Amino acid sequence: MSEHTEHKAGQPAPAREPMSPDGAQAVRAYAARKREQADQVAAVLEDLAENGLPTVEDCRPWEDLREAKLAQMHAQRGHVA
């Protein structure tokens, strides 16, 4: 017999500490961002499966991508860790 008990939607599950409304909202926002990122990765993978890998000439070296990302982070935050 399962020890899992049913609980009502909107109520904390048994043996769990409820979150504050702001905390729950922040977690939901984080989940939405991660879901969007996962959808973007899935779209790229589906494109690769459908169309194959791009040619070397159409690709950028990872070092260039890293430097561009670091420059973007620096512009947004004013510093890079």
Side-chain angles (χ1 to χ4, degrees), residues 6 18 26 42 69:
E6 296 296 321
K69 183 63 177 178

Side-chain angles (χ1 to χ4, degrees), residues 24-39:
Q25 182 179 1
V27 169
R28 286 186 187 100
Y30 179 78
R33 288 191 306 274
K34 290 300 173 183
R35 190 174 295 111
E36 183 180 343
Q37 291 170 347
D39 288 345

Side-chain angles (χ1 to χ4, degrees), residues 7 11-17:
H7 66 278
Q11 297 293 322
R16 291 195 183 191
E17 186 174 330

Side-chain angles (χ1 to χ4, degrees), residues 3 6-7 12 14 19 33 35 37 47 52 60-61 65-66 68 74 76 79-80:
E3 293 182 26
E6 296 296 321
H7 66 278
M19 297 180 76
R33 288 191 306 274
R35 190 174 295 111
Q37 291 170 347
D47 178 72
R60 290 178 62 189
L65 296 171
R66 179 194 63 211
H74 180 72
Q76 289 175 347
H79 71 285
V80 178

